[in-house]
Amino acid sequence: MMVPVTFPGALLACFACSGLVSLVYQVVWTRWLGLILGNFATAAATVVAVFMAGLAIGSFVVARAAARRSPAGALRLYARLEAGLALYAAASPLLFASSSRIYGLLLAASPEPVLRAGLAALLLLPPTILMGGTLPAIAAALNAAAGARLGLAYACNTLGAAVGPLLAAFLLIPAVGLNRTVWIAAALNGGLAAIAWALANRGPADSEGPAAATAPEGVRAVPPYAFALAAASGFAALGYEIGLIRLLTLTIIGSSVYAFAIVLSAFLTGLATGAAALRLRPPRDAPGALLGAAAALVVAWGFTLVLPTWDRLPPLLFTFWKVGPAFAVQQAGNFISAFVLAGVVASAFGFALPALVTAVDGIDTAGLGRMVAANTLGAAVGAPVTAFLLLPALGLQDAFAALGALALAAAAAAAGIARPRWRLPAAAVALPLAALPFALPAPDPRFMNAAMYFRTSRFENKVMRMEPADIVREMGRIIFERDTPGARIAVREGHGNLSLLVNGKPDASTAGGDPNTMILSAHLPMLAHPAPRRALLIGLGGGFTLT
């Protein structure tokens, strides 16, 4: 019988720090890939997808190796994974930094960003596989296959991960730059490896040979439905995350370099909260755990019902933006808003996975690794499918509706497995409810594309004493709107003029001095050259410069 090693608190602290470091890498690598791909939204979706794919592969592969080891042996395996990650991460500037030769080769590989993204993804896969192996290794060291204990480890890792984007975006990168940020994170990985190795050697002496590989009594194979539900939950969770980044960018946070870090951190904090909730109130039995997971997925679906009300948020927060708070206060307000608005749905997904693991009686480390792999593989598919297919094809609201329908279908399946007599009633109720969000009215596109957080003076009229909401309505109507993988593009018509809006921010218009300045930018270089024959125009913008 496996006995967990000593110092579980120290291991959980290590695992939390491991999550923090992993998300520091994610932010830095997203910044580098944004330069390679030419679009940070596309880079974010690519990096998230690669992270999830690597985590799935690592969890599946390492789980088998960890299951054959004693707790001390599993901890040594964890130390080796952290050491390998430290070495690869320390060398990553040679692969992705703009000064590296690989960077130039990636840029020259193809004019298509999709191919460049695929090549970069191959380079990111090895370190993410190492990251994926850390959960089953820690679970084996703590003997944490039980859902409640897994929930605690998962919560610690996710809570640490929630700190990572904020630390990288607001402190490390501005202070020391991208390269040194990666090297600091790599040094932390090396420190974690040393601590874990020392803890393993201080634990009880036990064997790592065949005796330790003997499976404990009562271990059962994981049923196929558990893998399917875990994968569906992961797909929906990362789809929601991509959608929430777009939604919060449009209404509250904007397209700043800090927006991705804030939304990612808020979502991860919600995941950690949900995982910790399972630790506080663990289910009594397997059916109860399945019903808990079903309830959590229903909560995620319920988020789609409130989407029509999101157009009311910008006017409510306008007073805060108008005050012009200090940078730190504004970003703290953005984080709180993002957590309040996205935390419930993120907590639901954070609760669902440990609950599904708890529902499998007698699960061992290998089974745990396969379930985590299924969840992260679903997440790896959910991120790019949402970014590159659902958003452009359906638009933001219907993309959320489709993800909500998936979550509701998974909830109905879980409820039917837990209580077989509920199968037909659950399916009968879920079918019309899944279609309900598609029938709901859309939020007012004038407010969704107004970017009220940006240059608040546009929404103040002290002479006529108009309310900001009335000014938005008077600005005109949205005659075109489309979600692309990189941004939402819209055109507003008002007072005889057209405005091109990118994530709500006006980028060009036919009003005022916009056309004159854009046309002048083409005249100036022509006047500076005695006999121009050819010209290179970089960026189309509103098209005035080209004409």
Side-chain angles (χ1 to χ4, degrees):
M1 180 177 180
M2 294 179 67
V3 179
V5 298
T6 56
F7 316 114
L11 292 187
L12 292 175
C14 286
F15 204 35
C17 187
S18 179
L20 182 152
V21 172
S22 297
L23 267 293
V24 169
Y25 293 139
Q26 184 168 335
V27 171
V28 173
W29 291 339
T30 298
R31 295 285 293 273
W32 276 332
L33 259 66
L35 299 175
I36 293 172
L37 303 181
N39 185 298
F40 284 100
T42 303
T46 300
V47 173
V48 169
V50 175
F51 258 68
M52 293 300 114
L55 293 178
I57 296 170
S59 180
F60 180 80
V61 173
V62 175
R64 293 186 175 185
R68 295 192 296 267
R69 285 171 165 79
S70 66
L75 190 52
R76 292 188 187 96
L77 175 61
Y78 169 77
R80 294 186 186 102
L81 294 171
E82 292 286 0
L85 180 56
L87 293 174
Y88 194 99
S92 65
L94 300 176
L95 301 176
F96 301 112
S98 56
S99 59
S100 73
R101 293 184 178 181
I102 301 295
Y103 176 88
L105 293 175
L106 288 173
L107 286 178
S110 170
E112 295 297 328
V114 174
L115 180 57
R116 295 202 299 270
L119 295 174
L122 292 177
L123 297 176
L124 284 177
L125 200 56
T128 57
I129 291 174
L130 296 174
M131 294 175 193
T134 58
L135 178 58
I138 282 286
L142 291 169
N143 195 15
R149 193 176 295 172
L150 170 68
L152 180 60
Y154 183 63
C156 289
N157 182 256
T158 308
L159 189 59
V163 178
L166 302 180
L167 182 65
F170 291 96
L171 293 178
L172 291 177
I173 294 175
V176 300
L178 295 173
N179 287 5
R180 289 187 178 89
T181 296
V182 167
W183 291 332
I184 290 172
L188 288 174
N189 281 128
L192 292 174
I195 292 171
W197 192 270
L199 291 176
N201 291 335
R202 292 178 63 182
D206 46 15
S207 171
E208 295 187 40
T214 303
E217 295 182 3
V219 171
R220 296 193 309 172
V222 179
Y225 74 78
F227 295 125
L229 293 176
S233 176
F235 184 104
L238 264 290
Y240 269 79
E241 182 182 321
I242 296 296
L244 283 166
I245 291 173
R246 175 66 52 84
L247 187 59
L248 290 164
T249 295
L250 286 171
T251 55
I252 295 175
I253 298 177
S255 301
S256 72
V257 295
Y258 305 105
F260 173 70
I262 288 173
V263 179
L264 183 59
S265 178
F267 196 84
L268 289 168
T269 303
L271 288 176
T273 303
L278 184 73
R279 170 74 175 182
L280 296 175
R281 298 183 64 87
R284 295 180 179 179
D285 53 23
L290 272 175
L291 291 176
L297 293 171
V298 169
V299 169
W301 165 82
F303 175 82
T304 62
L305 302 181
V306 303
L307 286 174
T309 67
W310 273 68
D311 55 2
R312 303 177 188 178
L313 291 174
L316 288 175
L317 294 171
F318 182 76
T319 301
F320 172 72
W321 297 325
K322 183 176 68 174
V323 171
F327 177 77
V329 175
Q330 183 178 5
Q331 299 305 324
N334 286 340
F335 176 83
I336 293 171
S337 300
F339 178 70
V340 169
L341 296 169
V344 174
V345 65
S347 298
F349 287 117
F351 183 92
L353 177 61
L356 289 171
V357 172
T358 305
V360 181
D361 291 327
I363 189 171
D364 63 349
T365 302
L368 167 65
R370 289 194 293 270
M371 283 197 67
V372 172
N375 180 261
T376 49
L377 186 60
V381 177
V385 165
T386 301
F388 299 113
L389 294 179
L390 294 183
L391 284 177
L394 302 179
L396 182 59
Q397 184 170 355
D398 284 350
F400 270 120
L403 294 168
L406 174 63
L408 190 62
I417 294 168
R419 298 285 188 267
R421 65 179 182 276
W422 291 4
R423 289 179 182 175
L424 288 179
V429 172
L431 187 61
L433 290 181
L436 177 61
F438 291 97
L440 294 176
D444 192 331
R446 293 174 296 182
F447 289 93
M448 299 298 289
N449 294 286
M452 295 184 71
Y453 50 80
F454 173 71
R455 278 175 24 200
T456 56
S457 60
R458 296 179 299 145
F459 305 98
E460 295 181 273
N461 190 326
K462 297 180 180 179
V463 176
M464 300 184 65
R465 296 183 179 179
M466 294 177 65
E467 293 293 326
D470 294 329
I471 294 176
V472 172
R473 296 185 184 98
E474 286 293 322
M475 290 173 71
R477 62 191 182 96
I478 302 298
I479 61 173
F480 174 84
E481 180 183 69
R482 178 168 296 174
D483 283 293
T484 71
R488 170 174 288 186
I489 309 301
V491 176
R492 181 171 58 220
E493 180 185 52
H495 307 289
N497 296 303
L498 297 175
S499 297
L500 175 67
L501 311 174
V502 179
N503 282 338
K505 176 183 173 295
D507 268 15
S509 74
T510 60
D514 267 5
N516 294 334
T517 56
M518 294 180 183
I519 293 172
L520 181 62
S521 65
H523 289 176
L524 290 176
M526 295 297 182
L527 292 173
H529 196 290
R533 295 183 177 181
R534 295 185 301 171
L536 172 64
L537 178 65
I538 301 176
L540 182 60
F544 291 107
T545 304
L546 180 63
T547 58

